[in-house]
Amino acid sequence: FDALRRFRAEFGTFSIWIDAICINQDDLEERSVQVTVMRRIYESAKMVLVYLGETEKGRELRDLFDSLMEFVFRSQECRDSRIDWSSLNKYGLPEVSSSRWHQLVQFLSHPWFSRVWIFQESLVARRSTFVQGDCSINQTDLFALVHQMVMVHRFQDYVDRTPRMRLSPMHYAAQRCGVIAMAQSPIAVNLLPQFWIRQPLIKLLRDNV
């Protein structure tokens, strides 16, 4: 319900396919038949919308994505230890104590980044957009950004202060984004124009799970 309201506000009136609504989930025969055409549905879609829920600070998250995009791509300086982590404002970023970094970590901690079946909707879609509240970002930009962020020296250590006994959610999200981008096109993670490549779904699942 929240997704439908958000998409109507964001994109206006349009036709949309949602598995949970368009397939009778209680009819095993119907579900089996629909699974066989699922790839064609995603391939034929003008856009695949990945809805990650609502947030009251979507615009702040969108602004942070824009600032990060400029930061990680504008110079070689962010690739080494010369970053002044005590004064991130000079790079157009929030300070490390800002709650805005928590928003980023929460975004990348979403279960979407750990689900297996998302490979289908991400790999075969010609165009995908991620939506969380008022924040929307296309898949190409998001995947390239996440991939580049983890390349920045100690970036994860500074912005993700969540106590944990394992790697940061940013690390796992970057792994997933990198794998999908490389499967679609080896040049996608290098921020050159992304080309959509048709590959068998079973091969993609086998190679990337």
Side-chain angles (χ1 to χ4, degrees):
F1 177 76
D2 290 338
L4 288 171
R5 291 187 61 183
R6 172 63 58 185
F7 295 157
R8 172 61 65 85
E10 183 79 14
F11 304 107
T13 302
F14 63 103
S15 298
I16 185 171
W17 168 275
I18 301 178
D19 297 353
I21 297 176
C22 298
I23 300 175
N24 181 358
Q25 301 296 322
D26 296 324
D27 188 330
L28 294 180
E29 182 177 355
E30 179 179 338
R31 285 171 53 185
S32 298
V33 171
Q34 291 295 330
V35 164
T36 63
V37 298
M38 199 62 65
R39 178 182 181 124
R40 180 152 48 89
I41 291 173
Y42 282 111
E43 286 180 336
S44 302
K46 293 181 179 179
M47 179 190 296
V48 171
L49 296 168
V50 180
Y51 179 70
L52 302 183
E54 289 299 308
T55 175
E56 295 180 354
K57 298 183 178 181
R59 294 188 185 278
E60 292 183 16
L61 182 61
R62 176 66 254 192
D63 291 342
L64 179 58
F65 279 139
D66 291 340
S67 299
L68 281 169
M69 194 79 73
E70 181 179 355
F71 169 68
V72 300
F73 302 139
R74 69 181 176 182
S75 73
Q76 186 65 29
E77 182 183 27
C78 66
R79 295 289 191 273
D80 56 38
S81 58
R82 289 180 294 170
I83 298 174
D84 183 1
W85 292 102
S86 65
S87 182
L88 288 180
N89 281 336
K90 68 174 64 175
Y91 306 107
L93 297 174
E95 298 298 348
V96 291
S97 59
S98 172
S99 61
R100 293 175 66 186
W101 293 116
H102 180 67
Q103 290 178 250
L104 174 65
V105 174
Q106 288 294 102
F107 181 93
L108 297 177
S109 300
H110 193 279
W112 187 92
F113 292 98
S114 60
R115 289 176 54 219
V116 172
W117 197 245
I118 61 94
F119 275 112
Q120 174 168 257
E121 55 198 57
S122 290
L123 285 165
V124 304
R126 298 174 183 272
R127 179 184 176 195
S128 292
T129 297
F130 286 70
V131 178
Q132 186 176 69
D134 290 330
C135 174
S136 63
I137 181 170
N138 72 65
Q139 176 172 293
T140 304
D141 288 345
L142 176 63
F143 284 15
L145 177 59
V146 173
H147 174 78
Q148 294 296 325
M149 279 195 299
V150 298
M151 303 294 289
V152 177
H153 181 71
R154 301 190 68 185
F155 185 90
Q156 297 173 75
D157 296 333
Y158 275 94
V159 304
D160 183 6
R161 304 300 181 90
T162 306
R164 57 187 181 273
M165 298 299 292
R166 58 187 179 86
L167 294 174
S168 166
M170 294 177 61
H171 175 83
Y172 290 105
Q175 283 186 323
R176 173 58 57 89
C177 295
V179 165
I180 294 175
M182 287 296 292
Q184 287 183 319
S185 169
I187 66 173
V189 292
N190 293 323
L191 309 179
L192 296 174
Q194 183 174 5
F195 295 94
W196 180 78
I197 299 176
R198 178 187 294 269
Q199 298 188 50
L201 177 59
I202 190 63
K203 176 182 183 301
L204 297 171
L205 290 172
R206 182 194 65 203
D207 292 344
N208 300 308
V209 173

